[in-house]
Amino acid sequence: MKKIILSSLFMMFCVIALSQSTFEIKKIGDQYTTEQITAVFSSADFCGSYFESKRNLITLNDGSEIELKSGLELANLGVSIAPSCLMNDQSIYYISIWSISPEGYLMKGFDNTLNPTEKEYYRNNNINKQ
């Protein structure tokens, strides 16, 4: 009986923990495991990367795709996000190269061989700078 209660509590804790996640793994690439991605994304600070009502897609260098949930979704889940951490849905989120270091850190970089200048970056990504 004690094992059943402990197992039930553990399962309930896992369900609560998963439902409180600020991201969702959509696709796993060929270099990182689900566990690696979950650990890194759970510990990363994405303040300033959440859109108000749409999801933000982050693609890792191995093809893995992770969506940051929207501010609206997080509020509905009871996850508190400071308003200053939310971007307007029309904001431009610049294309980056994301990877996980051997030490388990999430790294964000830019490919400056494709876009050596800011002007070329805007032109190549069809961004109208205002």
Side-chain angles (χ1 to χ4, degrees):
M1 183 67 162
K2 191 174 185 180
K3 287 183 182 181
I4 293 173
I5 293 172
L6 287 175
S7 296
S8 298
L9 288 173
F10 178 73
M11 288 176 57
M12 188 172 75
F13 174 75
C14 288
V15 168
I16 290 170
L18 289 174
S19 68
Q20 297 296 322
S21 178
T22 60
F23 62 92
E24 184 177 329
I25 299 172
K26 297 304 247 179
K27 178 181 158 189
I28 297 293
D30 57 7
Q31 187 174 348
Y32 309 116
T33 65
T34 303
E35 291 78 19
Q36 283 177 300
I37 293 170
T38 301
V40 168
F41 274 72
S42 295
S43 64
D45 180 7
F46 287 104
C47 183
S49 301
Y50 298 103
F51 285 109
E52 292 172 343
S53 63
K54 68 179 187 178
R55 288 184 170 200
N56 190 358
L57 177 67
I58 293 178
T59 304
L60 297 179
N61 62 335
D62 74 335
S64 297
E65 295 180 352
I66 300 91
E67 287 182 343
L68 297 181
K69 294 179 181 176
S70 70
L72 185 61
E73 285 179 283
L74 295 173
N76 290 336
L77 290 171
V79 177
S80 178
I81 297 286
S84 61
C85 290
L86 299 176
M87 295 187 300
N88 184 292
D89 288 345
Q90 285 72 41
S91 296
I92 298 168
Y93 194 77
Y94 297 102
I95 300 166
S96 305
I97 300 169
W98 295 85
S99 60
I100 298 174
S101 73
E103 296 81 20
Y105 296 105
L106 185 63
M107 300 186 303
K108 178 181 180 182
F110 296 94
D111 187 353
N112 63 354
T113 59
L114 294 175
N115 308 297
T117 67
E118 183 179 8
K119 183 178 179 181
E120 288 179 86
Y121 177 84
Y122 287 114
R123 188 187 76 231
N124 292 339
N125 291 291
N126 298 319
I127 299 170
N128 293 323
K129 187 173 181 185
Q130 312 213 356

